């Protein structure tokens, strides 16, 4: 014998009013955070660095493009910047690069030792630098000036000394 559907008792789940309030608050916060991420990505132009390639931290300084880091001109106004973030001595190699205004620069950055960061002030270029992984972002520089970059991931006692400069000439 089966119970006719009309006689199935209504399920009743008791939720405490406080618990219901917090469930609703958590859902509202998730929606607000998702909207904040969407607004940030589309209107503020936030870029997520892609893991561009894998490299061997042991041979990075002797083979491949990072053996001779620096700026390469691909075409007029189009550059690649290979930068090493080095923890033994706490410096970037190179510490300074110069491009003319209107240039588009693709940054390729990695580390032979520990985790670092790369934040170019006043721009949306902001990456974590992980040994074995090449981080990459592209940006166009129309405004002449000096843009300082800093390591913004704590990497040891010389962390605060890790910085460099991108010079955009008129
Ligand atoms: Cu490199 Cu902090």
């Amino acid at each position: 014998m089966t119970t006719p559907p009309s006689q199935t008792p209504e399920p009743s789940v008791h939720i405490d009013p406080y618990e219901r309030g917090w469930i609703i608050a958590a859902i509202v916060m998730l929606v607000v955070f998702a909207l904040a991420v969407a607004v940030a990505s589309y209107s503020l132009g936030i870029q997520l660095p892609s893991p561009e390639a894998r490299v061997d931290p042991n041979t990075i300084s002797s083979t491949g493009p990072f053996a001779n880091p620096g700026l390469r001109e691909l075409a007029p106004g189009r550059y690649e910047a290979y930068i090493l973030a080095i923890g033994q001595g706490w410096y970037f190699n190179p510490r300074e690069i110069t491009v003319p205004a209107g240039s588009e620069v693709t940054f390729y950055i990695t580390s032979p030792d520990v985790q670092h960061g790369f934040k170019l002030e006043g721009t949306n270029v902001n990456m974590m630098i992980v040994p074995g992984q090449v981080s990459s972002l592209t940006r166009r520089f129309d405004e002449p000036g000096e843009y300082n970059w800093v390591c913004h991931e704590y990497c040891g006692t010389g962390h605060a000394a890790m910085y460099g400069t991108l010079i955009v000439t008129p």
Side-chain angles (χ1 to χ4, degrees):
M1 289 285 284
T2 55
T3 313
S6 60
Q7 287 180 21
T8 306
E10 280 292 310
S12 108
V13 177
H14 173 72
I15 300 179
D16 184 86
Y18 285 114
E19 194 173 358
R20 185 195 308 274
W22 283 112
I23 289 172
I24 293 170
I27 292 170
V28 168
M29 282 194 290
L30 281 178
V31 171
V32 168
F33 294 156
L35 283 174
V37 170
V39 168
S41 342
Y42 291 105
S43 70
L44 301 180
I46 284 179
Q47 303 189 77
L48 287 180
S50 51
E52 181 73 21
R54 305 200 122 229
V55 287
D56 183 351
N58 296 313
T59 57
I60 192 75
S61 302
S62 55
T63 59
F66 289 97
N68 182 23
L71 196 68
R72 323 247 202 279
E73 185 173 11
L74 301 176
R78 187 74 191 81
Y79 295 87
E80 284 180 337
Y82 286 87
I83 300 174
L84 272 176
I86 298 170
Q88 286 176 326
W90 292 284
Y91 64 100
F92 286 98
N93 183 12
R95 293 173 203 257
E96 188 180 294
I97 55 178
T98 302
V99 296
S103 298
E104 191 175 88
V105 182
T106 300
F107 296 89
Y108 296 99
I109 311 178
T110 190
S111 161
D113 40 53
V114 296
Q115 181 175 308
H116 299 274
F118 184 89
K119 166 77 181 124
L120 192 59
E121 67 171 11
T123 73
N124 58 358
V125 177
N126 184 351
M127 297 185 270
M128 182 184 277
I129 311 302
V130 180
Q133 195 85 249
V134 179
S135 300
S136 177
L137 274 180
T138 300
R139 192 181 191 276
R140 198 183 147 90
F141 296 91
D142 288 321
E143 281 293 310
E146 289 194 6
Y147 299 78
N148 292 318
W149 71 70
V150 294
C151 174
H152 64 345
E153 298 270 347
Y154 184 72
C155 54
T157 53
H159 161 71
M162 277 191 78
Y163 63 92
T165 311
L166 167 72
I167 299 168
V168 180
T169 56

